[in-house]
Amino acid sequence: MALALKSTCFVQLKRPKSCYAFRSSRQLAVVSTRRSTTMAALSTVATIGISETFAKLKKEGKVAFIPFITAGDPDLSTTAQALKLLDSCGSDIIELGVPYSDPLADGPVIQAAATRSLAKGTNFDAVISMLKEVVPQLTSPVALFTYYNPILKRGVEKFMSIVNDAGVHGLVVPDVPLEETEILRNEALKYNIELVLLTTPTTPTSRMKAIVEASEGFVYLVSSIGVTGARGSVSARVENLLRDIKEATTKPVAVGFGISKPEHVKQIAEWGADGVIVGSAMVKVLGEAKSPEEGLKELENLTRSLKSALI
Amino acid sequence: MAASIKAPPSSSSGAFPTLHRPRPSSPLKPARFVVGPPPARRLRSAISCTLARDSPVRMEEPALAQLLRPDPFGRFGKFGGKYVPETLMYALSELESAFHALAEDDEFQKELGGILKDYVGRESPLYFAERLTEHYKRPNGEGPHIYLKREDLNHTGAHKINNAVAQALLAKRLGKKRIIAETGAGQHGVATATVCARFGLQCIIYMGAQDMERQALNVFRMRLLGAEVRAVHSGTATLKDATSEAIRDWVTNVETTHYILGSVAGPHPYPMMVREFHAVIGKETRRQALDKWGGKPDVLVACIGGGSNAMGLFHEFVDDKDVRLIGVEAAGFGVDSGKHAATLTKGEVGVLHGAMSYLLQDDDGQIVEPHSISAGLDYPGVGPEHSFLKDIGRAEYYSCTDEEALEAFKRLSRLEGIIPALETSHALGFLEKLCPTLPDGAKLVLNCSGRGDKDVQTAVKYLKV
């Protein structure tokens, strides 16, 4: 049963300790009509950017929890609700994936999410419209995860301008190598968008150093050799890689790919990561649920359980 | 000429293993792996990404010989490059180093030459198509002389094997025991399975689930040869999705696996490498033309899917300005029908499977599913070097519909007793428009890239014989 977002009036909650207000979608609708706040009355908290979020968390001795979901799976209105849910459940930064026809870096779960989303007719303009409504209601900054072709289609400058208008703070483009990031970086800078670069277990140390120097927002450490998708355990390599990166830079490092359980999250935090990114596990519970309602419920449960590993 | 790779000036120096400087090959070597222009014209690229110490050549008329194809970043002008996940970057540079090293390795060259001769059956004949030539004679008796470069006579029936064999040997040198490949119709899959059987390598072929249905016999052939064929159900379940899946497998298994990409597409060094492995086609043609008529060809014609057979024929002659290069793509139901694969005619520049090139995409920047009766041309992208040659006006690109290709398929069978592949039939179909415009006695060489036995089941649905 698809949820129709008739009203965009969600009460702005400042990081509640629990997510009880969002436990059921019905309650959501009830809450909103009872309060009958209008868009104009909502306090739009200007979110701080990505680097600043990490700096803040560092002062508090905390590790960032960074969930990823694919826009439009099962549909954009559910995505809008999911973003708010993730935000209120304590995410520090939220990654939103733009669905693409040929996602090279993604495993079966995110591929399937992209296919479902595209089949529903999701396109970039629709994602941006949704973000324009939702981002003002979030306290965490949003980073877009997209492949390069959709950026090129619009032109790099235009793309940056559009996403900046939508309130996006960061960008991850997995199929642009370091050598080609200059153009992206220059345009992104003009619009205060931080371009996050990825380093992997196969990246030689000297190249890793060049990557971390150029990366903005944070350094994305890919935990394993492969595409996105939950793994049974986190490779022990990650500990060494984290150490090498931290020797090369003081920028925050977040680890992603394959992380799906609280034990993984805990382990990575113990090894010294500044952030933990969880993608496929979130996408799976949300997109493969029997209904969007149930998906959101599962998402909330998973988020709480993962987040608790960081406390 | 080829400097070691540097990251662009603003970031600190990237680190790739220093490339071996390609040295000129001796004319005795059967397969030449030299990258870039021959020694006499080794000048700095006018469009290289590194800062030129010399004053750059004026850009209005860049001498082709001064443009690196590709430059150290793997770019042909603005096309090409390496747009892949970071996980693959090291493997790509390792592959490139190995390729350049093997260019100088006499033992490797000898081994490859021997296999091309005794196993593949090279050199392939340059055949004067007497009755086809007669067919295109104008009422006054004038017309071009048409020659067919018989890549259809190679082992496995297409040009694909040239590249498969060389890459398998290269993989062995790299110590990789596991081979993966993508395939559309199955020709490249069959060629890869063939060489893996020959060299005792584990072989996994990714094929779109839709294509597997259309080409069931090729699936059987691959399995008979010992390969594992994996169906790809994601996206449109056709060649582009099989290619994406092969790339994902490579990202995951990069340390043990070599990816035999089937065409001059994909991330650098593939477009360059695959071209060099097919360049034997053009080299033989030059020698054979000299033997047969004491000159060069005037026009070269080849069909274009990813562009490998065309680059193999064209590459030798790119610097010969008096040789016309013509590529023919698949127009499917017509270039305005929305159901075609005429990438260079109707596409826009974008990034697909690791390379910046022309590609067929929708308004949202999503890659669209193309259509052609011939599965080998049914690819929404095209090799970046073709995009480059088109943009600088060095090569011309046209297209041919399904219907025209089927007519040509029948025509060559009737006139010369050669059943061509449906892919090749597109190049043959274009002769109808081309020949009337050519001067008398013009020497036309058409790359007969494959034989059509594999296509009779498709043709039987459309042709009345």
Side-chain angles (χ1 to χ4, degrees):
Chain A
M1 168 191 102
L3 282 167
L5 247 191
K6 295 234 167 70
S7 125
T8 50
C9 307
F10 281 88
V11 177
Q12 178 71 7
L13 291 171
K14 293 209 170 160
R15 291 182 180 277
K17 292 208 179 73
S18 70
C19 316
Y20 291 115
F22 290 88
R23 198 181 288 152
S24 96
S25 55
R26 261 175 224 225
Q27 226 177 334
L28 258 172
V30 167
V31 164
S32 73
T33 48
R34 228 188 271 153
R35 301 280 169 108
S36 60
T37 40
T38 61
M39 271 301 286
L42 277 172
S43 60
T44 51
V45 176
T47 52
I48 56 174
I50 292 170
S51 317
E52 292 149 307
T53 301
F54 274 106
K56 182 163 161 285
L57 289 168
K58 192 167 178 160
K59 280 202 200 111
E60 297 167 8
K62 292 196 182 138
V63 172
F65 176 67
I66 308 173
F68 165 101
I69 54 171
T70 299
D73 179 45
D75 54 62
L76 275 175
S77 66
T78 308
T79 302
Q81 298 201 52
L83 289 173
K84 287 180 250 202
L85 175 66
L86 290 168
D87 188 47
S88 63
C89 284
S91 304
D92 300 293
I93 294 165
I94 304 173
E95 257 193 68
L96 185 65
V98 177
Y100 181 56
S101 56
D102 290 80
L104 293 183
D106 286 310
V109 170
I110 296 179
Q111 277 177 54
T115 304
R116 286 191 294 263
S117 174
L118 289 170
K120 272 257 161 68
T122 309
N123 59 36
F124 182 69
D125 292 340
V127 174
I128 292 293
S129 292
M130 182 273 293
L131 284 174
K132 282 191 170 148
E133 284 193 13
V134 174
V135 168
Q137 301 170 56
L138 304 174
T139 56
S140 330
V142 170
L144 272 189
F145 186 104
T146 175
Y147 288 82
Y148 198 28
N149 201 55
I151 298 179
L152 282 178
K153 176 77 189 182
R154 284 148 188 99
V156 180
E157 215 215 311
K158 182 113 196 281
F159 179 89
M160 296 300 173
S161 160
I162 294 171
V163 306
N164 177 51
D165 273 347
V168 167
H169 282 277
L171 192 61
V172 185
V173 189
D175 59 348
V176 174
L178 174 66
E179 293 78 2
E180 313 285 356
T181 54
E182 199 185 347
I183 305 164
L184 274 179
R185 221 188 351 265
N186 291 341
E187 294 302 327
L189 269 173
K190 289 187 202 159
Y191 293 94
N192 287 320
I193 292 169
E194 296 179 286
L195 182 67
V196 174
L197 301 184
L198 300 97
T199 180
T200 73
T202 59
T203 308
T205 310
S206 41
R207 184 174 168 83
M208 175 275 281
K209 289 184 177 156
I211 291 172
V212 305
E213 168 142 354
S215 188
E216 288 157 11
F218 63 93
V219 173
Y220 194 136
L221 171 60
V222 175
S223 68
S224 47
I225 296 176
V227 297
T228 61
R231 274 103 166 147
S233 59
V234 186
S235 164
R237 262 172 167 171
V238 172
E239 189 181 5
N240 297 330
L241 290 165
L242 268 171
R243 196 189 42 235
D244 290 344
I245 295 173
K246 291 209 159 261
E247 272 170 27
T249 186
T250 51
K251 288 182 191 168
V253 186
V255 181
F257 281 45
I259 302 161
S260 57
K261 301 191 183 123
E263 307 88 83
H264 301 161
V265 171
K266 191 156 185 282
Q267 180 70 89
I268 289 169
E270 276 168 13
W271 282 338
D274 303 293
V276 183
I277 301 165
V278 182
S280 297
M282 325 261 354
V283 171
K284 199 177 167 84
V285 301
L286 183 60
E288 295 178 16
K290 294 194 201 76
S291 70
E293 222 179 44
E294 217 186 280
L296 287 166
K297 216 190 317 177
E298 292 296 313
L299 186 69
E300 187 195 338
N301 291 339
L302 180 60
T303 308
R304 272 199 283 152
S305 107
L306 293 169
K307 178 80 182 175
S308 68
L310 288 174
I311 293 166
Chain B
M1 171 196 69
S4 58
I5 290 178
K6 283 195 272 230
S10 67
S11 46
S12 45
S13 74
F16 277 106
T18 309
L19 285 189
H20 289 256
R21 282 175 173 274
R23 273 169 247 139
S25 66
S26 94
L28 301 168
K29 284 203 184 129
R32 184 173 60 137
F33 294 108
V34 172
V35 174
R41 285 171 283 179
R42 245 194 255 155
L43 294 170
R44 288 192 79 111
S45 163
I47 51 174
S48 152
C49 298
T50 56
L51 296 169
R53 268 183 243 110
D54 321 324
S55 57
V57 172
R58 235 180 319 126
M59 274 310 288
E60 295 94 38
E61 291 265 332
L64 187 53
Q66 291 171 294
L67 296 170
L68 290 175
R69 294 182 295 116
D71 70 11
F73 292 95
R75 296 196 153 286
F76 302 88
K78 71 178 179 194
F79 301 104
K82 298 184 190 185
Y83 294 92
V84 289
E86 171 60 30
T87 310
L88 288 180
M89 296 300 286
Y90 184 66
L92 290 174
S93 72
E94 194 188 40
L95 189 55
E96 191 177 357
S97 301
F99 173 75
H100 287 307
L102 291 174
E104 307 305 315
D105 187 325
D106 284 335
E107 212 188 288
F108 179 86
Q109 296 281 31
K110 211 164 148 217
E111 198 185 352
L112 180 58
I115 293 167
L116 286 172
K117 177 168 180 283
D118 296 333
Y119 185 68
V120 174
R122 300 210 72 91
E123 57 178 44
S124 62
L126 184 64
Y127 164 73
F128 175 59
E130 192 184 337
R131 292 193 69 211
L132 195 65
T133 297
E134 194 59 43
H135 174 81
Y136 287 114
K137 273 208 164 88
R138 302 188 270 272
N140 63 2
E142 295 188 343
H145 298 167
I146 303 174
Y147 292 80
L148 299 176
K149 181 61 174 152
R150 303 295 305 279
E151 292 298 297
D152 59 302
L153 290 176
N154 296 339
H155 178 41
T156 66
H159 70 291
K160 296 279 180 199
I161 192 130
N162 301 326
N163 171 51
V165 139
Q167 283 205 46
L169 267 186
L170 189 139
K172 279 193 87 176
R173 282 305 185 102
L174 284 172
K176 306 264 169 116
K177 300 224 164 60
R178 184 176 177 269
I179 301 292
I180 60 175
E182 83 294 344
T183 196
Q187 265 330 87
H188 173 61
V190 169
T192 305
T194 301
V195 304
C196 287
R198 168 67 185 75
F199 293 110
L201 298 163
Q202 185 195 6
C203 184
I204 290 152
I205 308 286
Y206 287 96
M207 194 170 183
Q210 250 202 68
D211 288 337
M212 282 177 76
E213 267 190 54
R214 302 194 269 188
Q215 305 281 329
L217 274 191
N218 266 345
V219 175
F220 174 74
R221 282 161 81 199
M222 287 183 263
R223 289 182 172 146
L224 181 60
L225 290 160
E228 184 193 331
V229 182
R230 290 190 188 169
V232 177
H233 295 276
S234 54
T236 58
T238 55
L239 175 57
K240 72 166 181 75
D241 311 288
T243 310
S244 298
E245 196 59 28
I247 293 175
R248 287 182 201 112
D249 182 313
W250 203 32
V251 172
T252 311
N253 298 296
V254 68
E255 292 173 328
T256 58
T257 302
H258 177 65
Y259 174 25
I260 298 188
L261 224 162
S263 193
V264 287
H268 180 65
Y270 282 103
M272 170 194 76
M273 226 170 58
V274 176
R275 174 195 76 196
E276 291 301 326
F277 291 144
H278 282 303
V280 59
I281 301 173
K283 272 172 230 150
E284 286 175 3
T285 302
R286 189 190 282 283
R287 240 182 291 127
Q288 290 162 326
L290 207 54
D291 273 342
K292 286 189 161 16
W293 65 81
K296 290 190 287 195
D298 297 304
V299 190
L300 298 177
V301 184
C303 63
I304 307 258
S308 60
N309 90 85
M311 263 340 289
L313 180 63
F314 293 175
H315 182 55
E316 175 70 17
F317 298 98
V318 169
D319 294 334
D320 292 74
K321 278 312 197 49
D322 48 351
V323 178
R324 239 178 114 185
L325 308 176
I326 295 179
V328 185
E329 294 188 298
F333 294 157
V335 291
D336 294 316
S337 69
K339 292 223 160 271
H340 61 83
T343 313
L344 290 164
T345 307
K346 286 296 210 170
E348 287 169 44
V349 180
V351 164
L352 177 63
H353 298 143
M356 181 166 301
S357 194
Y358 279 96
L359 47 106
L360 295 174
Q361 52 184 300
D362 68 12
D363 289 330
D364 199 38
Q366 309 293 342
I367 312 299
V368 301
E369 191 191 345
H371 163 77
S372 169
I373 191 173
S374 67
L377 302 185
D378 209 357
Y379 183 61
V382 72
E385 193 165 6
H386 284 294
S387 296
F388 174 64
L389 292 175
K390 175 193 151 92
D391 266 18
I392 62 170
R394 177 62 189 96
E396 307 156 54
Y397 296 92
Y398 304 97
S399 61
C400 171
T401 62
D402 285 352
E403 215 181 298
E404 291 164 341
L406 280 164
E407 276 164 27
F409 177 82
K410 191 169 164 184
R411 194 179 307 121
L412 192 72
S413 305
R414 290 274 160 97
L415 290 176
E416 293 287 349
I418 298 173
I419 302 175
L422 280 174
E423 291 77 10
T424 311
S425 302
H426 285 72
L428 290 160
F430 187 65
L431 291 181
E432 292 286 288
K433 299 203 174 88
L434 178 64
C435 292
T437 71
L438 293 177
D440 187 36
K443 301 288 189 198
L444 186 156
V445 173
L446 187 143
N447 209 6
C448 195
S449 51
R451 64 170 189 250
D453 304 58
K454 64 179 177 71
D455 295 314
V456 292
Q457 283 178 306
T458 304
V460 84
K461 296 188 205 147
Y462 301 94
L463 286 180
K464 287 201 167 40
V465 293

